[in-house]
Amino acid sequence: MSEEKKIKKRRELLSLCLDCLIEKGLTAVTTKELCSAVQLQNGGIYYYFTSKDEIVLACAEEAINRIEQAALDVVFEDLNDIRHMMEHLGSMADKMSPTMRFLVSVCVSQEYGEKVKPTLVRLAAQYSYYTRRIARLLGCSESEVEPFVHLSILAINNYMIFAERALFDPQIEAAKNGLLALARRKQDRADRQD
């Protein structure tokens, strides 16, 4: 198999492995179950991955990618309607909650916690990109929008982990009100220019 085909197949397997880990749980899933989930003979998964550790860490990164992409799709699709965006983020959080819980199980495990930190650091580095992009779309400074971006991320993460609206609603309401104020200010400036 060519290296290009192997990389493509590995990506496909990774998605299926992540689904299996989400369904069965990090500590409960066996390599045999992972092989079955990806329709390979026992041990066949090791043609694409060197170890179960590599599979789990790659799945943690894939979980981050799924969550991040789902959230970004909502934000950049709905930013012109902030109220709808915040409601849509809540629905996205409901859907992505099992994926986040898997990711948390990796992060808090003794076996994988330290190994996954570089991936989490890379994710946190993206926050400034989101802040810049949202600030540009709202016509405000990064420092004005940054607290609301971080508060939204915190609220969504808490909700995905704990599935508790009492934790989510006050935080997301505060972020929504702040973003709405920035959006109104942008609209007021546009109205004055007309």
Side-chain angles (χ1 to χ4, degrees):
M1 179 180 287
S2 73
E3 194 60 32
E4 185 178 311
K5 284 184 180 180
K6 188 175 179 180
I7 290 169
K8 183 180 177 188
K9 181 68 173 176
R10 181 183 153 106
R11 274 191 230 118
E12 292 169 14
L13 296 177
L14 190 58
S15 182
L16 294 170
C17 285
L18 176 55
D19 292 341
C20 182
L21 283 160
I22 290 168
E23 179 187 333
K24 302 214 183 254
L26 175 62
T27 57
V29 76
T30 65
T31 304
K32 184 176 179 178
E33 288 171 318
L34 289 172
C35 287
S36 178
V38 298
Q39 299 177 343
L40 292 173
Q41 293 179 352
N42 286 345
I45 200 161
Y46 292 122
Y47 178 74
Y48 301 96
F49 299 94
T50 58
S51 65
K52 186 176 177 186
D53 282 3
E54 183 184 5
I55 296 167
V56 169
L57 294 171
C59 284
E61 193 156 340
E62 177 65 17
I64 289 170
N65 292 339
R66 280 186 189 181
I67 293 165
E68 185 179 28
Q69 191 58 54
L72 290 177
D73 287 350
V74 169
V75 169
F76 295 123
E77 176 184 314
D78 293 344
L79 192 59
N80 291 327
D81 184 351
I82 291 170
R83 283 185 178 85
H84 182 262
M85 177 184 74
M86 293 305 195
E87 291 169 19
H88 199 172
L89 282 170
S91 300
M92 179 278 309
D94 286 331
K95 180 180 172 195
M96 297 307 295
S97 185
T99 305
M100 176 58 93
R101 288 185 183 149
F102 159 73
L103 180 58
V104 169
S105 73
V106 173
C107 293
V108 300
S109 76
Q110 284 186 312
E111 191 172 355
Y112 302 109
E114 285 299 314
K115 295 174 186 173
V116 79
K117 278 187 181 179
T119 301
L120 298 174
V121 169
R122 280 193 304 276
L123 174 64
Q126 288 288 93
Y127 292 1
S128 60
Y129 163 75
Y130 308 144
T131 299
R132 274 193 309 277
R133 190 159 171 199
I134 292 169
R136 198 172 30 237
L137 291 169
L138 291 177
C140 63
S141 72
E142 292 176 33
S143 63
E144 290 172 303
V145 79
E146 185 177 40
F148 306 116
V149 170
H150 286 267
L151 185 58
S152 298
I153 292 168
L154 177 65
I156 292 162
N157 285 342
N158 281 343
Y159 185 59
M160 285 188 288
I161 294 166
F162 301 109
E164 181 56 55
R165 278 277 176 190
L167 294 171
F168 176 73
D169 287 338
Q171 293 171 336
I172 213 68
E173 191 66 25
K176 178 175 72 175
N177 290 337
L179 291 172
L180 283 169
L182 292 172
R184 276 192 301 274
R185 198 174 76 196
K186 178 184 177 184
Q187 186 60 48
D188 291 345
R189 281 194 307 266
D191 290 346
R192 283 191 300 263
Q193 289 177 350
D194 289 340

